[in-house]
Amino acid sequence: IDGETGITIYSKNPHIRRDPLSTTKLLTCMVALEHLSPKDTVTVTKWAANTGGSTAYLKAGEKVKVKDLIYAALLPSGNDAAVALAHGVSGSKAKFAVLMNQKAKELGCVDSHFSNPHGWKAKDHYASAYDMAKIAKAAMEVDLIRTACSTEMYKMSKTNKHKARYISTTNYLVAGKK
């Protein structure tokens, strides 16, 4: 799609359901920022801290600014940060998924259903390329998300459980750009 207009330039099988994987985190961050301020603090639950896969190494009971959780979800693709945001907004992944699906419909998505905030494969977690393009375009209109997505390295603030620390992107298109 054209990133400014949203007009489709080329497509092939745009409505086939696929695993959206970590691209899900763009929607998670959009929904979180509709309910929380970047300056708000979220306490990381044990469920968030124990989420496997790629992580930002968050600890249960850690108090983290929403802005830092956005970066932690998007740079190292932190599943723990995505779950922390979901819990911070609604108290559970299931309640947050309802908000994600509402937002997807609002954006014009027609081939998607989200069941978790991090994108792990699940039979009821899917999106089409068409829908993911709509979500990505909308996400890039949110300043904090757009900035995070183009950041190679970010310094997270000190928390009650961690010293200030650096996280870096896993996106090779951003890493090493000059």
Side-chain angles (χ1 to χ4, degrees), residues 45 47 82-99 115-117:
T45 63
W47 296 279
V83 174
L85 287 167
H87 287 169
V89 168
S90 61
S92 77
K93 290 192 295 186
K95 288 178 185 175
F96 190 77
V98 171
L99 299 175
S115 63
N116 64 63

Side-chain angles (χ1 to χ4, degrees), residues 103-146:
K103 182 64 176 177
K105 284 185 180 149
E106 178 186 308
L107 294 174
C109 296
V110 295
D111 307 304
S112 298
H113 185 270
F114 297 92
S115 63
N116 64 63
H118 46 63
W120 271 12
K121 289 184 179 190
K123 71 176 184 173
D124 59 346
H125 189 85
Y126 54 83
S128 66
Y130 175 85
D131 288 358
M132 291 313 300
K134 287 199 168 287
I135 292 166
K137 182 181 181 316
M140 291 305 106
E141 293 171 3
V142 179
D143 290 340
L144 179 55
I145 295 172
R146 184 180 59 254

Side-chain angles (χ1 to χ4, degrees), residues 28-158:
T28 295
C29 290
M30 280 193 296
V31 172
L33 289 170
E34 287 181 352
H35 294 86
L36 301 169
S37 163
K39 294 178 182 178
D40 288 344
T41 299
V42 168
T43 301
V44 177
T45 63
K46 68 179 177 180
W47 296 279
N50 291 332
T51 303
S54 56
T55 71
Y57 303 103
L58 302 176
K59 295 181 179 179
E62 185 172 5
K63 297 178 184 313
V64 185
K65 295 279 187 208
V66 168
K67 179 180 178 181
D68 288 343
L69 289 172
I70 296 293
Y71 276 88
L74 296 175
L75 270 67
S77 197
N79 293 334
D80 52 354
V83 174
L85 287 167
H87 287 169
V89 168
S90 61
S92 77
K93 290 192 295 186
K95 288 178 185 175
F96 190 77
V98 171
L99 299 175
M100 293 175 74
N101 287 308
Q102 289 172 350
K103 182 64 176 177
K105 284 185 180 149
E106 178 186 308
L107 294 174
C109 296
V110 295
D111 307 304
S112 298
H113 185 270
F114 297 92
S115 63
N116 64 63
H118 46 63
W120 271 12
K121 289 184 179 190
K123 71 176 184 173
D124 59 346
H125 189 85
Y126 54 83
S128 66
Y130 175 85
D131 288 358
M132 291 313 300
K134 287 199 168 287
I135 292 166
K137 182 181 181 316
M140 291 305 106
E141 293 171 3
V142 179
D143 290 340
L144 179 55
I145 295 172
R146 184 180 59 254
T147 301
C149 286
S150 64
T151 299
E152 185 174 357
M153 189 171 288
Y154 175 76
K155 185 177 183 179
M156 289 181 64
S157 303
K158 178 184 184 233

Side-chain angles (χ1 to χ4, degrees), residues 163-175:
K163 294 179 182 178
R165 63 198 187 266
Y166 286 94
I167 55 174
S168 57
T169 187
T170 56
N171 182 337
Y172 296 112
L173 296 173
V174 174

